[in-house]
Amino acid sequence: MLAYISRRLLLSIVVLGGVTVIVSGALLLSGDPVALILSEGLATREQREELRRELGLDKPFVYQYLDFARGAVQGDMGRSLRYNRSVSAIVGERVEPTLQLSGTAMLLAIVVAVPVGILSAARPNTWMDCAGRALAFFGQSVPLFWLGIMLVLVFSVELRWFPSAGRLQANSLVLPAVTLGLLPMARIARVLRASLLEVLGADYCRTAWSKGLSERRVLVQHAVRNALLPVVTIMGLQFGALLGGAVVTETIFAWPGLGFLSVQAIGARDVPLLRGVVTLVAFLSVLTNLAVDVLYAVLDPRIRYA
Amino acid sequence: MRSRPRRATILWKSLRRDRAAVVGLVIVGLWLAMALFGPLLKGAKPGQQDLGRSLLPPGGSGEASSPGAAAARAWLGTDQLGRDIAARVLQGARTSLLIAFQVVLIAAALGSFVGVFAAEAGGWVDEVLMRLVDIQLGVPAILLAITLLAMIGASIGNLVLVLVLPSWVIFARVVRSEVLRLRELEFVQAARALGARRGRILTRHLLANVTGLIVVIGTLELSSIIIFESALSFLGLGVRPPDVSWGAMLSDGREMLTVAWWPATLPGIAITVTVMGVNLLGDWLRDVLDPRANARRGA
């Protein structure tokens, strides 16, 4: 178990290192940030050189990257060009809204998907199954930014039930969470249904039926418990995907989280801030994947020896 | 014997039983036809502005742009600049489908090559390539994509490049594990024992058996690429004016949401219907070409 976890941990570090190298390399391609801050006419050559030194841009790429990596490990990711504040401080403020949004979306997805998946599998090819599958199919096909806009159109513009943007009121969370939750809901419902159908066909479930157990007991105690493994996997994968979906969702609803911040940083050409956001999101997503892997190994002993 | 004619027969037979697949095929076929032949249609041009006809509702004809000319009916309405939405949706289909097909073809070729190469090479080559895959899968693809696009600039060529990045790894991973699995099967062992060369085993026995799987993944990737591309264009980092795309239309329409519902609603329906069609096709292909998929992936 310990060997397994340490291998996964090592892999996580490799992934994080790779991502930060890619992002830093991409930033290098973007041209000279100094030219953006101090334009030709406003600053002397000496001032520009000094700023370049201050930002560490006079050094070769490898040194720049190592400087960044050393700082990042200690929680220092440089200064934002636009806000002239520490990147870590700005990024830190945005973590909570993003976690709140994706957490709520995930909860919503599970609360809807689990009953839908179970009902679908328990009554295959009935109208309930059809409705459940149609919902899941729709959820997988509709682009979430369009869904978000449609929800705003109906519930903010027409009905005026929920605010269309921001995070000022308690019910601001509703529309973004529904938008973000639909795709994981669809995926979880599909996987749960398929996995349950497979388990329900297994010998031990037939035995449970023939013992005369009630449907409820067969379903809950025998089938669902054994069908959960693929569901846990997909939940973990979906949580990582939620962080990506949050970029678009937060932008639509002006939700003050990391996703919206990344789009703002791009708009302002704020290179250090963008690098900070991407690094932090990569960190969160790697952490989630690690947690899922460990949970998976705990749930299924076969994994550890594979 | 050869497997190709049999596979076609299987596909055709199952298509006659599977109504959902037929619906998917019709949807995708129609969109492809519209994307290919849409520009030949007479009528409004997608880029043509006419501020006198701004924000006409679907079916509205408004006033004639010049005295004497008959007012053309805008079947799907017009946007804030008076451009015909129907013409733009058709043009958008062309852009989006072209990009998506390009991306999937490149990603499938690249990913399959890397997958086979990693499986055949083994050792540290395999290790390095697979860690590269892990890095790609370890972070949300959209975040890497917007970072790269913001840095290298938004253009259709760059968009294709950025979309290939998260996509090829899917092919590489699946092809690699499938080749590793197939290689241990008896028929390959037998071919090897009979003295077949490595190249022959690779093409005739391994690749031939992976193509079905590549087609299945390619179809599923196609729908996610269509969504991904429109998301990037929606954020203003993908297809940009004067090129027309569904995502960019949505973003324009969103500005008008309090005044008019159709500029934001209609391109979204186009995306959703297309993606549904491709997904229906993908589900069917998976059932037919990859019978073990249900057991392996769970859905």
Side-chain angles (χ1 to χ4, degrees):
Chain A
M1 186 77 187
L2 205 65
Y4 173 80
I5 292 180
S6 49
R7 212 174 67 224
R8 302 300 308 176
L9 200 66
L10 204 67
L11 180 64
S12 303
I13 294 168
V14 170
V15 169
L16 262 185
V19 170
T20 45
V21 167
I22 292 174
V23 173
S24 302
L27 298 184
L28 207 65
L29 293 174
S30 68
D32 188 1
V34 173
L36 283 166
I37 316 164
L38 297 177
S39 60
E40 202 80 50
L42 288 171
T44 63
R45 175 187 283 266
E46 286 73 32
Q47 284 171 313
R48 289 152 64 95
E49 284 306 319
E50 194 180 324
L51 181 65
R52 193 164 282 132
R53 249 198 312 282
E54 205 175 294
L55 291 171
L57 294 171
D58 54 336
K59 294 184 219 159
F61 173 68
V62 178
Y63 285 91
Q64 285 184 39
Y65 175 73
L66 288 178
D67 273 349
F68 168 73
R70 189 185 310 133
V73 172
Q74 296 163 354
D76 173 20
M77 300 198 280
R79 294 184 82 76
S80 152
L81 299 181
R82 187 188 185 187
Y83 302 100
N84 197 25
R85 285 173 57 205
S86 136
V87 167
S88 309
I90 301 174
V91 166
E93 289 163 6
R94 304 295 190 106
V95 173
E96 197 224 313
T98 291
L99 290 184
Q100 182 192 24
L101 175 58
S102 26
T104 315
M106 196 63 187
L107 203 69
L108 212 61
I110 294 172
V111 164
V112 178
V114 169
V116 167
I118 293 180
L119 281 178
S120 259
R123 300 271 181 280
N125 300 320
T126 60
W127 67 267
M128 270 196 296
D129 183 27
C130 283
R133 286 164 74 182
L135 183 69
F137 184 73
F138 177 74
Q140 269 194 320
S141 302
V142 63
L144 60 84
F145 47 97
W146 183 62
L147 177 74
I149 294 173
M150 290 300 106
L151 290 177
V152 168
L153 182 65
V154 175
F155 294 103
S156 307
V157 176
E158 297 295 327
L159 298 173
R160 298 179 183 281
W161 286 358
F162 301 105
S164 63
R167 195 191 175 221
L168 298 172
Q169 290 154 260
N171 61 0
S172 296
L173 184 59
V174 176
L175 295 185
V178 171
T179 304
L180 192 55
L182 190 71
L183 183 62
M185 185 279 286
R187 295 244 165 96
I188 295 171
R190 263 179 94 121
V191 170
L192 181 58
R193 173 180 182 275
S195 157
L196 256 179
L197 279 178
E198 205 182 313
V199 168
L200 282 170
D203 289 343
Y204 60 85
C205 273
R206 206 179 45 206
T207 310
W209 283 115
S210 54
K211 277 198 301 188
L213 293 185
S214 69
E215 180 178 21
R216 199 195 166 106
R217 279 196 71 162
V218 177
L219 265 180
V220 175
Q221 292 204 337
H222 292 77
V224 172
R225 280 176 66 175
N226 284 297
L228 273 182
L229 206 58
V231 180
V232 171
T233 319
I234 200 85
M235 281 179 191
L237 288 174
Q238 288 311 304
F239 206 83
L242 276 183
L243 291 173
V247 174
V248 179
T249 311
E250 288 179 2
T251 309
I252 292 173
F253 292 99
W255 186 261
L258 289 166
F260 191 32
L261 185 65
S262 67
V263 174
Q264 286 175 315
I266 286 173
R269 317 268 323 153
D270 193 336
V271 170
L273 184 59
L274 184 59
R275 178 167 58 181
V277 178
V278 177
T279 307
L280 187 66
V281 174
F283 179 71
L284 289 176
S285 126
V286 163
L287 212 63
T288 320
N289 290 341
L290 187 66
V292 173
D293 282 340
V294 172
L295 185 63
Y296 205 72
V298 171
L299 286 177
D300 187 352
R302 283 171 302 180
I303 306 288
R304 276 172 259 163
Y305 306 109
Chain B
M1 296 308 278
R2 304 291 287 271
S3 66
R4 207 160 287 160
R6 246 186 36 222
R7 187 176 280 166
T9 327
I10 294 171
L11 281 176
W12 172 245
K13 271 192 178 156
S14 79
L15 194 59
R16 285 167 51 183
R17 278 197 310 268
D18 193 339
R19 259 180 304 164
V22 175
V23 173
L25 204 61
V26 169
I27 293 175
V28 175
L30 277 179
W31 274 122
L32 276 179
M34 285 193 280
L36 288 173
F37 303 116
L40 300 178
L41 294 176
K42 284 206 166 75
K45 292 279 164 283
Q48 188 186 334
Q49 302 184 8
D50 185 350
L51 293 177
R53 289 163 60 78
S54 169
L55 290 178
L56 287 181
S61 50
E63 285 172 30
S65 48
S66 58
R73 195 177 282 266
W75 292 107
L76 297 183
T78 58
D79 67 5
Q80 61 270 43
L81 296 175
R83 295 174 298 195
D84 187 69
I85 290 181
R88 291 177 73 73
V89 167
L90 277 188
Q91 185 67 24
R94 211 176 151 80
T95 325
S96 295
L97 293 181
L98 196 68
I99 293 176
F101 272 103
Q102 254 175 307
V103 168
V104 171
L105 284 179
I106 299 175
L110 180 68
S112 310
F113 177 76
V114 173
V116 171
F117 187 68
E120 283 292 303
W124 67 269
V125 178
D126 183 30
E127 189 69 22
V128 168
L129 285 172
M130 286 306 109
R131 291 302 78 79
L132 211 61
V133 169
D134 285 330
I135 291 172
Q136 291 274 340
L137 294 175
V139 278
I142 191 159
L143 205 62
L144 272 188
I146 60 175
T147 309
L148 285 173
L149 279 175
M151 297 310 149
I152 61 181
S155 73
I156 291 191
N158 288 346
L159 186 60
V160 170
L161 181 81
V162 162
L163 289 172
V164 165
L165 283 180
S167 190
W168 72 269
V169 293
I170 314 269
F171 290 94
R173 204 177 225 198
V174 178
V175 168
R176 173 184 171 271
S177 66
E178 189 68 4
V179 166
L180 285 179
R181 190 187 69 87
L182 286 169
R183 214 165 51 176
E184 303 308 318
L185 293 186
E186 276 150 4
F187 73 96
V188 181
Q189 304 277 8
R192 197 170 290 137
L194 286 170
R197 273 172 297 126
R198 201 175 181 183
R200 189 182 161 81
I201 291 180
L202 203 63
T203 49
R204 288 296 298 268
H205 298 291
L206 298 178
L207 274 182
N209 278 294
V210 186
T211 43
L213 196 58
I214 295 176
V215 170
V216 174
I217 303 167
T219 319
L220 298 175
E221 273 299 289
L222 191 64
S223 68
S224 55
I225 295 293
I226 292 173
I227 291 188
F228 203 165
E229 178 269 316
S230 26
L232 291 173
S233 301
F234 175 78
L235 290 174
L237 289 162
V239 179
R240 309 184 80 169
D243 290 316
V244 183
S245 83
W246 291 336
M249 286 176 74
L250 256 176
S251 161
D252 288 343
R254 183 181 160 224
E255 309 287 320
M256 294 290 121
L257 210 55
T258 46
V259 203
W261 58 267
W262 56 94
T265 309
L266 299 174
I269 292 178
I271 303 173
T272 309
V273 169
T274 313
V275 171
M276 279 183 174
V278 177
N279 279 343
L280 286 173
L281 268 189
D283 285 351
W284 165 65
L285 284 173
R286 180 166 58 188
D287 290 345
V288 182
L289 296 178
D290 188 18
R292 291 175 309 108
N294 291 329
R296 192 174 59 235
R297 271 192 295 268

